[in-house]
Amino acid sequence: MIILGIETSCDETSAAVVENGKKIYSNIVASQQDLHSRFGGVVPEIACRAHTDTIITVIDKAVAEANIKMSDLDAISVANTPGLIGALLIGLTAAKSLSWILKKPLITVNHLHAHIYASKIEYDDIDYPAISLVVSGGHTSLFLTHSEINFESVGVTIDDAAGEAFDKVGKILGLGYPAGPEIDTLSAKGNERAIQFPRSYLKKGSLDFSFSGIKTAVLYHCMGQDLSKASEMPKLTNQEIADIAASFQEAVIDVLVDKTIFAATKFSTKSIILGGGVACNSRLRQKLTDSAKRRGIPLFYPSKKLCMDNAAMVAGLAFHKYVEKNFSNLEVEAIP
Ligand code: KG4
Ligand code: ZN
């Protein structure tokens, strides 16, 4: 079963060809990072134009690199939710057109579920139920995962996503966009105990997240309590920047790890799965590995290329929906 996957939910235009949910023949990712970096975040209009410009080339490349013909495809899959509405629509329209022209089934998948599935591409031995933490630029969610295609949302951020907090704190510290990877690297040179930033756990037992407070705490730490008097960013030494980065990162990761472990225990899960762009973070990987090990729960996370937005995870998950004949018709909509 050879499936084409399409992913355009945010600022990466991606297409992939995957066999039987596992074997990646191609996984082309055209990143728009350079276009958005000078604005310090994703500009939806620019993202849509870039998707429109590149989607056909990216699909052609994925099929060519897989060394197959379009007619060899058994199905067309696409992430139709959640994401930027205009960006999702471009991928969905491409997928619908191909499905109609090639007379192949259309399979729509949830982008966050695909981030969870990414681990399954690289590991065979994931036991369910699993608790899955998806941490990306736009989302921070916990899913009780019953199978490859059965997900129950049990926790979500009530404000900013974890990746968004990394990117916004990076902006305060004068780093580039996206700032997550740079904060990760800088933190290794800093002292994570230098500053006690707040850890927001919300009410007792809550599996929801909140990261807007810590972003403001970093801002006050850098600019002083009275922002109206602060005309410009005070000059920070490299060591001060590294200490702030490390202390911020530690606070975010403590909450992510604690809530994930709490959820794994609460639902007696057999595995923990980590996915999304922030799953590239070395400190998060290390601390979650240590905590999961202490409790004897196996932890799975994919290699970095499959953590970031990519279409292989979409085509992989779609295989399991194909097996269930869970197809979409051409009226299916994009849902932001
Ligand atoms: O999943 P993703 O590629 O796109 C979305 O669906 O949002 O995630 C992108 C996010 C960005 O916020 C970026 O700063 C963050 O992932 N990120 C990281 C690291 N690598 C990427 N955050 C922390 N540490 C990293 N090493
Ligand atoms: Zn994502």
Side-chain angles (χ1 to χ4, degrees):
M1 194 67 51
I2 300 175
I3 298 184
L4 175 76
I6 298 174
E7 158 61 48
T8 60
S9 65
C10 191
D11 59 346
E12 260 99 29
T13 316
S14 181
V17 175
V18 179
E19 186 178 18
N20 293 341
K22 283 279 243 198
K23 194 162 191 302
I24 300 176
Y25 287 159
S26 60
N27 189 17
I28 309 297
V29 182
S31 174
Q32 305 172 2
Q33 243 169 52
D34 293 350
L35 296 176
H36 300 289
S37 60
R38 69 192 169 104
F39 301 102
V42 177
V43 182
E45 176 64 23
I46 293 177
C48 292
R49 282 169 191 257
H51 284 310
T52 311
D53 286 347
T54 50
I55 185 82
I56 292 174
T57 318
V58 166
I59 293 171
D60 280 345
K61 242 178 158 172
V63 171
E65 200 174 285
N67 210 8
I68 58 159
K69 299 189 291 299
M70 283 279 186
S71 55
D72 295 329
L73 292 167
D74 293 297
I76 312 298
S77 65
V78 61
N80 71 322
T81 189
L84 300 171
I85 184 66
L88 289 167
L89 272 170
I90 293 158
L92 183 59
T93 306
K96 282 181 180 180
S97 310
L98 281 173
S99 158
W100 187 67
I101 294 163
L102 299 169
K103 301 192 174 27
K104 298 291 158 95
L106 174 68
I107 302 169
T108 48
V109 309
N110 179 305
H111 173 84
L112 304 181
H113 299 169
H115 270 306
I116 298 169
Y117 185 81
S119 285
K120 187 76 190 178
I121 295 180
E122 294 179 326
Y123 297 95
D124 290 321
D125 49 344
I126 304 180
D127 281 338
Y128 299 104
I131 194 75
S132 305
L133 173 68
V134 182
V135 258
S136 71
H139 301 89
T140 301
S141 305
L142 280 166
F143 289 92
L144 182 55
T145 308
H146 301 285
S147 73
E148 285 84 1
I149 52 171
N150 187 349
F151 307 88
E152 192 182 328
S153 173
V154 292
V156 70
T157 180
I158 58 166
D159 42 54
D160 290 353
E164 197 178 346
F166 271 87
D167 295 335
K168 286 179 177 165
V169 163
K171 205 169 179 182
I172 297 170
L173 296 177
L175 310 177
Y177 172 85
E182 211 175 337
I183 290 183
D184 190 352
T185 315
L186 271 175
S187 296
K189 300 174 201 143
N191 173 7
E192 73 277 4
R193 283 192 288 270
I195 306 132
Q196 266 301 310
F197 286 126
R199 282 138 172 87
S200 173
Y201 286 90
L202 303 172
K203 63 180 191 304
K204 199 172 180 319
S206 169
L207 292 176
D208 290 335
F209 300 92
S210 168
F211 295 112
S212 64
I214 187 164
K215 175 193 68 192
T216 314
V218 174
L219 186 68
Y220 280 129
H221 177 85
C222 295
M223 310 280 281
Q225 288 303 311
D226 189 352
L227 291 182
S228 63
K229 286 198 188 128
S231 54
E232 61 179 59
M233 186 67 185
K235 288 269 171 292
L236 297 167
T237 64
N238 287 345
Q239 192 55 49
E240 281 168 332
I241 292 177
D243 287 346
I244 296 168
S247 303
F248 155 78
Q249 176 179 273
E250 199 72 2
V252 170
I253 287 170
D254 279 350
V255 177
L256 292 173
V257 171
D258 289 347
K259 291 209 177 223
T260 304
I261 297 291
F262 175 71
T265 314
K266 177 175 174 179
F267 298 111
S268 306
T269 67
K270 294 182 180 152
S271 316
I272 298 172
I273 302 172
L274 177 63
V278 184
C280 293
N281 186 275
S282 48
R283 185 77 174 151
L284 173 59
R285 288 174 171 217
Q286 179 206 333
K287 287 196 99 171
L288 196 53
T289 300
D290 293 347
S291 291
K293 207 176 204 170
R294 274 199 298 278
R295 283 155 187 90
I297 313 170
L299 167 69
F300 300 90
Y301 52 79
S303 53
K304 289 191 178 174
K305 182 143 198 246
L306 291 181
C307 283
M308 304 299 287
D309 285 349
N310 70 90
M313 64 185 192
V314 172
L317 173 56
F319 166 72
H320 296 270
K321 291 188 102 172
Y322 188 103
V323 171
E324 306 263 300
K325 298 214 177 334
N326 190 341
F327 302 138
S328 290
N329 62 31
L330 293 180
E331 271 93 67
V332 65
E333 290 182 349
I335 305 160

